[in-house]
Amino acid sequence: MKIFDTHTHLNDDPLWDQVPDYLQTAEQLSVDKMAIVGSNQKFNQRAVQLAQQYANLYAVIGWHPEDADAYDEPALSEQLQQKKVVAIGEIGLDYHWEQNPSAKEQHAVFIQQLELAQQNSMPVNIHTRDALADTYEILRQHPVAHGMIMHSFNGSLYWLDKFLELGCYISYSGVVSFKNAPEVRQAALQTPLDRILVETDAPYLTPEPHRGEKNQPAYAHYVAQAVAQTKNIPLATLAQATWENAHKVYQVNDKN
Ligand SMILES: [Zn+2]
């Protein structure tokens, strides 16, 4: 059995100093591949560095909505050409924090990166917080043909249907294992096996039974387990489906 953590931040400060240890633990729990996701210049550079250093890691780079005011399109365009960069992300909208760039600014940077993905025939990894309706509307108007991943999905069944209709992949994080998140399990239950992905978003969103500790890519195993339990299917079946979907959307083959 092999598991692909499609969204993780080994490039982030809390994990950065012990990357070899985290990779070893991941291997022990069958988490054999991962996509390292950036959010600004510093973390994008680290994501590319890790992906080029380790055969089983890939880089997803872009400007997070919280960093929209620092968006550097020439830098991103250039970095996209580097080896092992498989997608643009995480990009999207975040209305949660008052100090975030304005909605107008976030929209502009989100749209520019969707268009850049389209031009480069790349998929996108999407962050949305308190902004499902606007995220949906922007994706509807600026769809990315090579794939759209809704990262750490936590919307209602209504929104699940809307994003599935657009052709999105739906990625579940440790939230799916939280007692107080029955709505997320409802969504996981209704997400078809050919559109579902698993991720950790480490160091955040640690799944049960490790909730409260620092998250790490190895715990994608527990996320997969929680989704499999919710769907009442064997873990190996869920792992295989998400493994194949991840390779398909990130356009990487099983050998590299
Ligand atoms: Zn993330």
Side-chain angles (χ1 to χ4, degrees), residues 19-84:
V19 168
D21 294 341
Y22 290 121
L23 291 177
Q24 200 180 4
T25 318
E27 200 186 328
Q28 285 161 3
L29 282 172
S30 308
V31 179
D32 288 337
K33 285 192 176 185
M34 47 198 97
I36 311 299
V37 181
S39 53
N40 58 32
Q41 186 64 20
K42 172 184 165 185
F43 295 123
N44 290 340
Q45 257 160 11
R46 283 184 178 180
V48 173
Q49 186 187 327
L50 286 179
Q52 294 187 351
Q53 193 176 350
Y54 297 98
N56 59 331
L57 306 188
Y58 302 90
V60 174
I61 59 173
W63 260 258
H64 191 282
E66 285 177 31
D67 290 297
D69 49 2
Y71 181 53
D72 185 342
E73 181 143 323
L76 181 56
S77 289
E78 200 181 299
Q79 271 183 321
L80 286 179
Q81 312 310 322
Q82 301 201 48
K83 274 194 197 117
K84 302 288 292 290

Coordinates of all heavy atoms in Angstrom, one line a residue, residues 19-84:
V19 N 13.8 17.4 8.1 CA 13.2 16.7 7.0 C 13.5 15.2 6.8 O 12.6 14.4 6.6 CB 13.5 17.5 5.7 CG1 13.1 16.7 4.4 CG2 12.8 18.9 5.7
P20 N 14.8 14.8 7.0 CA 15.1 13.4 6.8 C 14.3 12.5 7.8 O 13.9 11.4 7.5 CB 16.6 13.3 7.0 CG 17.1 14.7 6.7 CD 16.0 15.6 7.2
D21 N 14.2 13.0 9.1 CA 13.4 12.2 10.1 C 12.0 12.1 9.6 O 11.4 11.0 9.8 CB 13.5 13.0 11.4 CG 14.9 13.0 12.0 OD1 15.7 12.2 11.5 OD2 15.1 13.8 12.9
Y22 N 11.4 13.2 9.2 CA 9.9 13.1 8.8 C 9.8 12.2 7.6 O 8.7 11.5 7.5 CB 9.4 14.5 8.5 CG 9.3 15.3 9.7 CD1 9.9 16.6 9.9 CD2 8.5 14.9 10.8 CE1 9.8 17.3 11.0 CE2 8.4 15.6 12.0 CZ 9.0 16.8 12.1 OH 8.9 17.6 13.2
L23 N 10.7 12.2 6.7 CA 10.6 11.3 5.5 C 10.7 9.9 5.9 O 10.0 9.0 5.4 CB 11.7 11.7 4.5 CG 11.5 13.0 3.8 CD1 12.7 13.3 2.8 CD2 10.2 13.1 3.0
Q24 N 11.5 9.6 6.9 CA 11.7 8.2 7.4 C 10.4 7.7 8.1 O 10.0 6.6 7.8 CB 12.9 8.1 8.4 CG 13.4 6.8 8.5 CD 14.6 6.7 9.5 OE1 14.9 7.7 10.1 NE2 15.2 5.6 9.7
T25 N 9.9 8.6 8.9 CA 8.6 8.2 9.6 C 7.5 8.0 8.5 O 6.6 7.1 8.7 CB 8.2 9.3 10.6 OG1 9.3 9.7 11.3 CG2 7.1 8.8 11.6
A26 N 7.5 8.9 7.5 CA 6.4 8.7 6.5 C 6.6 7.4 5.8 O 5.5 6.7 5.6 CB 6.6 9.9 5.5
E27 N 7.8 7.0 5.5 CA 8.0 5.7 4.8 C 7.5 4.6 5.6 O 6.8 3.6 5.1 CB 9.5 5.6 4.5 CG 9.8 4.6 3.4 CD 11.3 4.3 3.3 OE1 12.1 5.2 3.5 OE2 11.6 3.2 2.9
Q28 N 7.7 4.7 6.9 CA 7.2 3.6 7.8 C 5.7 3.5 7.8 O 5.2 2.4 8.1 CB 7.7 3.8 9.3 CG 9.2 3.5 9.4 CD 9.8 4.2 10.7 OE1 9.1 4.9 11.4 NE2 11.1 4.1 10.8
L29 N 5.0 4.6 7.5 CA 3.5 4.5 7.5 C 3.0 4.5 6.1 O 1.9 4.9 5.9 CB 3.0 5.7 8.3 CG 3.0 5.5 9.8 CD1 2.6 6.8 10.6 CD2 2.1 4.4 10.3
S30 N 3.8 4.1 5.1 CA 3.4 3.9 3.7 C 3.1 5.2 3.0 O 2.4 5.2 2.0 CB 2.2 3.0 3.6 OG 2.5 1.8 4.3
V31 N 3.5 6.4 3.6 CA 3.3 7.6 2.9 C 4.6 7.9 2.0 O 5.6 8.4 2.5 CB 3.1 8.8 3.9 CG1 2.9 10.1 3.1 CG2 1.9 8.5 4.7
D32 N 4.5 7.4 0.8 CA 5.7 7.3 -0.1 C 5.9 8.5 -1.0 O 7.0 8.6 -1.5 CB 5.5 6.0 -1.0 CG 5.7 4.8 -0.1 OD1 6.4 4.9 0.9 OD2 5.2 3.7 -0.5
K33 N 4.9 9.3 -1.2 CA 5.1 10.5 -2.0 C 4.4 11.7 -1.4 O 3.4 11.5 -0.7 CB 4.6 10.3 -3.4 CG 5.5 9.4 -4.3 CD 5.1 9.5 -5.7 CE 6.0 8.6 -6.6 NZ 5.7 8.8 -8.0
M34 N 4.9 12.9 -1.6 CA 4.2 14.1 -1.1 C 4.5 15.3 -2.0 O 5.5 15.4 -2.7 CB 4.6 14.3 0.3 CG 6.1 14.2 0.6 SD 6.4 14.1 2.4 CE 6.6 12.3 2.6
A35 N 3.5 16.2 -2.0 CA 3.7 17.4 -2.7 C 3.9 18.5 -1.7 O 3.2 18.7 -0.7 CB 2.4 17.8 -3.5
I36 N 5.1 19.2 -1.8 CA 5.5 20.2 -0.9 C 5.0 21.5 -1.4 O 5.3 22.0 -2.5 CB 7.0 20.3 -0.8 CG1 7.6 18.9 -0.6 CG2 7.4 21.3 0.3 CD1 7.2 18.2 0.7
V37 N 4.1 22.2 -0.6 CA 3.4 23.4 -1.1 C 4.0 24.7 -0.5 O 4.2 24.8 0.7 CB 1.9 23.2 -0.7 CG1 1.1 24.4 -1.2 CG2 1.3 21.9 -1.2
G38 N 4.2 25.6 -1.4 CA 4.7 26.9 -1.0 C 3.6 27.9 -0.9 O 2.5 27.7 -1.2
S39 N 4.0 29.1 -0.5 CA 3.0 30.2 -0.3 C 3.5 31.6 -0.6 O 2.8 32.5 -0.6 CB 2.4 30.1 1.1 OG 3.5 30.2 2.0
N40 N 4.8 31.7 -0.7 CA 5.5 33.0 -1.0 C 6.9 32.6 -1.4 O 7.3 31.5 -1.5 CB 5.5 33.9 0.3 CG 6.2 33.2 1.5 OD1 7.2 32.4 1.3 ND2 5.8 33.5 2.7
Q41 N 7.7 33.7 -1.7 CA 9.0 33.5 -2.3 C 9.9 32.5 -1.5 O 10.4 31.5 -2.0 CB 9.7 34.8 -2.4 CG 11.0 34.8 -3.2 CD 10.9 34.3 -4.6 OE1 9.8 34.4 -5.2 NE2 12.0 33.9 -5.2
K42 N 10.0 32.7 -0.2 CA 10.8 31.9 0.7 C 10.4 30.4 0.7 O 11.2 29.5 0.4 CB 10.8 32.4 2.1 CG 11.5 31.6 3.1 CD 11.2 32.2 4.6 CE 11.6 31.1 5.6 NZ 11.3 31.7 7.0
F43 N 9.1 30.2 0.9 CA 8.6 28.8 0.9 C 8.6 28.1 -0.4 O 8.7 26.9 -0.5 CB 7.3 28.7 1.7 CG 7.5 29.1 3.1 CD1 6.7 30.2 3.7 CD2 8.4 28.5 4.0 CE1 6.9 30.6 5.0 CE2 8.5 28.9 5.3 CZ 7.8 29.9 5.8
N44 N 8.4 28.9 -1.5 CA 8.4 28.3 -2.8 C 9.8 27.8 -3.1 O 10.0 26.7 -3.7 CB 8.0 29.4 -3.9 CG 6.5 29.7 -3.8 OD1 5.7 29.0 -3.3 ND2 6.2 30.9 -4.4
Q45 N 10.8 28.6 -2.8 CA 12.2 28.2 -3.1 C 12.5 27.0 -2.3 O 13.2 26.0 -2.9 CB 13.1 29.4 -2.6 CG 13.7 30.1 -3.8 CD 14.2 31.5 -3.4 OE1 14.4 31.8 -2.2 NE2 14.5 32.3 -4.4
R46 N 12.1 26.9 -1.0 CA 12.4 25.7 -0.3 C 11.7 24.5 -0.8 O 12.2 23.3 -0.8 CB 11.9 25.9 1.2 CG 12.9 26.8 2.0 CD 12.4 26.8 3.4 NE 13.2 27.5 4.3 CZ 12.9 27.7 5.6 NH1 11.8 27.1 6.2 NH2 13.7 28.4 6.4
A47 N 10.4 24.7 -1.3 CA 9.7 23.6 -1.9 C 10.4 23.0 -3.1 O 10.6 21.8 -3.3 CB 8.3 24.0 -2.3
V48 N 10.9 23.9 -4.0 CA 11.6 23.4 -5.2 C 12.9 22.7 -4.8 O 13.3 21.6 -5.3 CB 12.0 24.6 -6.1 CG1 12.8 24.2 -7.3 CG2 10.7 25.2 -6.6
Q49 N 13.6 23.3 -3.8 CA 14.9 22.7 -3.3 C 14.6 21.2 -2.8 O 15.4 20.3 -3.1 CB 15.4 23.5 -2.1 CG 16.8 23.1 -1.6 CD 17.1 24.0 -0.4 OE1 16.8 25.1 -0.3 NE2 17.9 23.4 0.5
L50 N 13.6 21.0 -2.0 CA 13.3 19.7 -1.5 C 12.9 18.7 -2.6 O 13.3 17.6 -2.6 CB 12.1 19.7 -0.4 CG 12.4 20.3 0.9 CD1 11.2 20.3 1.8 CD2 13.5 19.5 1.6
A51 N 12.1 19.2 -3.5 CA 11.6 18.3 -4.6 C 12.8 17.9 -5.5 O 12.8 16.8 -6.0 CB 10.6 19.1 -5.5
Q52 N 13.8 18.8 -5.6 CA 15.0 18.4 -6.4 C 15.9 17.5 -5.7 O 16.7 16.8 -6.3 CB 15.6 19.7 -7.0 CG 14.7 20.4 -7.9 CD 15.3 21.6 -8.7 OE1 16.4 22.0 -8.3 NE2 14.6 22.1 -9.6
Q53 N 15.9 17.6 -4.4 CA 16.8 16.8 -3.5 C 16.2 15.3 -3.4 O 17.0 14.4 -3.3 CB 16.9 17.5 -2.2 CG 18.0 16.9 -1.3 CD 18.1 17.7 0.0 OE1 17.5 18.8 0.2 NE2 18.9 17.2 0.9
Y54 N 14.9 15.2 -3.3 CA 14.3 13.8 -3.0 C 13.4 13.4 -4.2 O 12.5 14.1 -4.5 CB 13.5 13.9 -1.7 CG 14.3 14.2 -0.5 CD1 14.4 15.5 0.0 CD2 15.1 13.2 0.2 CE1 15.1 15.8 1.2 CE2 15.8 13.5 1.3 CZ 15.8 14.8 1.8 OH 16.6 15.1 2.9
A55 N 13.7 12.2 -4.7 CA 12.9 11.7 -5.8 C 11.4 11.6 -5.6 O 10.6 11.8 -6.5 CB 13.5 10.3 -6.2
N56 N 11.0 11.3 -4.4 CA 9.6 11.1 -4.1 C 8.8 12.4 -3.7 O 7.7 12.3 -3.3 CB 9.4 10.0 -3.0 CG 10.1 10.4 -1.7 OD1 11.1 11.1 -1.7 ND2 9.5 9.9 -0.6
L57 N 9.5 13.5 -3.8 CA 8.8 14.8 -3.4 C 8.6 15.6 -4.7 O 9.4 15.6 -5.6 CB 9.6 15.6 -2.4 CG 10.1 14.9 -1.1 CD1 10.7 15.9 -0.2 CD2 8.9 14.3 -0.5
Y58 N 7.5 16.4 -4.7 CA 7.2 17.3 -5.8 C 6.9 18.7 -5.2 O 6.5 18.8 -4.1 CB 6.0 16.8 -6.6 CG 6.2 15.4 -7.1 CD1 5.9 14.3 -6.4 CD2 6.8 15.2 -8.4 CE1 6.1 13.0 -6.8 CE2 7.1 13.9 -8.8 CZ 6.7 12.8 -8.1 OH 7.0 11.6 -8.5
A59 N 7.1 19.7 -6.1 CA 6.9 21.1 -5.6 C 5.6 21.7 -6.2 O 5.4 21.5 -7.4 CB 8.1 21.9 -5.9
V60 N 4.8 22.3 -5.3 CA 3.7 23.1 -5.8 C 4.0 24.5 -5.3 O 4.2 24.7 -4.1 CB 2.4 22.6 -5.1 CG1 1.2 23.4 -5.4 CG2 2.1 21.1 -5.5
I61 N 4.0 25.5 -6.2 CA 4.5 26.8 -5.8 C 3.5 27.9 -6.2 O 2.8 27.8 -7.3 CB 5.9 27.1 -6.3 CG1 5.9 27.1 -7.9 CG2 6.9 26.2 -5.7 CD1 7.3 27.6 -8.4
G62 N 3.4 28.9 -5.4 CA 2.5 30.0 -5.7 C 2.4 31.0 -4.6 O 3.1 30.9 -3.6
W63 N 1.5 32.0 -4.7 CA 1.3 33.0 -3.7 C 0.0 32.8 -3.0 O -1.1 32.9 -3.6 CB 1.4 34.4 -4.2 CG 2.8 35.0 -4.0 CD1 3.1 35.9 -3.0 CD2 4.0 34.7 -4.7 NE1 4.5 36.2 -3.1 CE2 5.0 35.4 -4.1 CE3 4.4 33.8 -5.7 CZ2 6.4 35.4 -4.5 CZ3 5.7 33.8 -6.2 CH2 6.7 34.6 -5.5
H64 N 0.0 32.4 -1.7 CA -1.1 32.3 -0.8 C -1.9 33.6 -0.8 O -1.2 34.7 -0.8 CB -0.6 31.9 0.5 CG -1.6 31.4 1.5 ND1 -2.5 32.3 2.2 CD2 -2.0 30.2 1.9 CE1 -3.3 31.6 3.0 NE2 -3.0 30.3 2.9
P65 N -3.2 33.6 -0.6 CA -3.9 34.9 -0.5 C -3.4 35.8 0.6 O -3.4 37.0 0.5 CB -5.4 34.5 -0.3 CG -5.4 33.0 0.1 CD -4.1 32.5 -0.6
E66 N -2.9 35.2 1.7 CA -2.4 36.1 2.8 C -1.1 36.8 2.3 O -0.7 37.8 3.0 CB -2.0 35.2 4.0 CG -3.3 34.8 4.8 CD -3.0 33.9 6.0 OE1 -1.9 34.0 6.6 OE2 -3.8 33.0 6.3
D67 N -0.5 36.3 1.3 CA 0.8 36.9 0.8 C 0.5 37.6 -0.6 O 1.5 37.9 -1.3 CB 1.9 35.9 0.6 CG 2.4 35.4 2.0 OD1 2.9 36.3 2.7 OD2 2.2 34.3 2.3
A68 N -0.8 37.8 -0.9 CA -1.1 38.4 -2.2 C -0.4 39.7 -2.5 O -0.1 40.0 -3.7 CB -2.6 38.5 -2.3
D69 N -0.2 40.5 -1.5 CA 0.4 41.8 -1.7 C 1.8 41.8 -2.1 O 2.4 42.7 -2.6 CB 0.2 42.8 -0.5 CG 0.6 42.1 0.8 OD1 1.0 41.0 0.8 OD2 0.4 42.8 1.9
A70 N 2.5 40.6 -1.9 CA 3.9 40.4 -2.3 C 4.0 39.7 -3.7 O 5.1 39.3 -4.1 CB 4.6 39.7 -1.2
Y71 N 2.9 39.4 -4.3 CA 2.9 38.6 -5.5 C 3.9 39.0 -6.6 O 3.9 40.2 -6.9 CB 1.5 38.5 -6.2 CG 1.4 37.7 -7.4 CD1 1.8 36.4 -7.4 CD2 0.9 38.2 -8.6 CE1 1.7 35.6 -8.5 CE2 0.8 37.4 -9.7 CZ 1.2 36.1 -9.7 OH 1.2 35.3 -10.8
D72 N 4.7 38.1 -7.0 CA 5.8 38.4 -8.0 C 5.7 37.4 -9.2 O 6.2 36.3 -9.2 CB 7.1 38.2 -7.3 CG 8.3 38.6 -8.1 OD1 8.2 38.7 -9.4 OD2 9.4 38.8 -7.6
E73 N 4.9 37.9 -10.2 CA 4.6 37.0 -11.3 C 5.9 36.6 -12.1 O 6.0 35.4 -12.5 CB 3.6 37.6 -12.2 CG 3.3 36.7 -13.4 CD 1.8 36.7 -13.8 OE1 0.9 36.8 -13.0 OE2 1.6 36.6 -15.0
P74 N 6.8 37.5 -12.4 CA 8.0 37.1 -13.1 C 8.8 36.0 -12.3 O 9.3 35.1 -12.9 CB 8.9 38.4 -13.2 CG 7.8 39.5 -13.1 CD 6.8 39.0 -12.2
A75 N 8.9 36.1 -11.0 CA 9.6 35.1 -10.2 C 8.9 33.8 -10.3 O 9.5 32.7 -10.5 CB 9.7 35.6 -8.8
L76 N 7.6 33.8 -10.2 CA 6.8 32.6 -10.2 C 6.9 31.9 -11.6 O 7.2 30.7 -11.7 CB 5.3 32.9 -9.9 CG 4.4 31.6 -9.9 CD1 4.9 30.5 -8.9 CD2 3.0 32.1 -9.5
S77 N 6.8 32.7 -12.7 CA 6.9 32.2 -14.0 C 8.2 31.5 -14.2 O 8.2 30.4 -14.8 CB 6.8 33.3 -15.1 OG 5.5 33.8 -15.1
E78 N 9.3 32.1 -13.7 CA 10.6 31.5 -13.9 C 10.7 30.2 -13.1 O 11.2 29.2 -13.6 CB 11.6 32.5 -13.5 CG 13.0 32.3 -14.0 CD 14.0 33.3 -13.5 OE1 13.8 34.5 -13.8 OE2 14.9 32.9 -12.8
Q79 N 10.2 30.2 -11.9 CA 10.4 29.0 -11.0 C 9.5 27.9 -11.5 O 9.9 26.7 -11.3 CB 9.9 29.4 -9.6 CG 11.0 29.9 -8.7 CD 10.5 30.1 -7.3 OE1 9.4 30.6 -7.1 NE2 11.4 29.8 -6.3
L80 N 8.4 28.2 -12.2 CA 7.6 27.1 -12.8 C 8.3 26.2 -13.8 O 7.9 25.1 -14.0 CB 6.4 27.7 -13.5 CG 5.3 28.3 -12.6 CD1 4.2 28.9 -13.5 CD2 4.7 27.3 -11.6
Q81 N 9.3 26.8 -14.4 CA 10.1 26.0 -15.4 C 11.1 25.0 -14.8 O 11.6 24.2 -15.5 CB 10.9 27.0 -16.3 CG 10.1 28.1 -16.9 CD 8.7 27.7 -17.5 OE1 8.7 26.7 -18.1 NE2 7.7 28.5 -17.3
Q82 N 11.3 25.1 -13.5 CA 12.3 24.2 -12.8 C 11.7 22.8 -12.7 O 10.5 22.6 -12.6 CB 12.6 24.8 -11.5 CG 13.2 26.2 -11.6 CD 14.0 26.6 -10.4 OE1 14.8 25.8 -9.9 NE2 13.7 27.7 -9.8
K83 N 12.7 21.9 -12.6 CA 12.3 20.5 -12.5 C 11.5 20.2 -11.2 O 11.8 20.7 -10.2 CB 13.6 19.6 -12.5 CG 14.1 19.3 -13.8 CD 15.2 18.2 -13.7 CE 16.0 18.1 -15.0 NZ 17.4 18.4 -14.8
K84 N 10.6 19.2 -11.4 CA 9.8 18.7 -10.2 C 8.7 19.7 -9.8 O 8.0 19.4 -8.8 CB 10.7 18.3 -9.0 CG 11.7 17.3 -9.3 CD 11.2 15.9 -9.6 CE 10.6 15.2 -8.4 NZ 11.5 14.8 -7.3

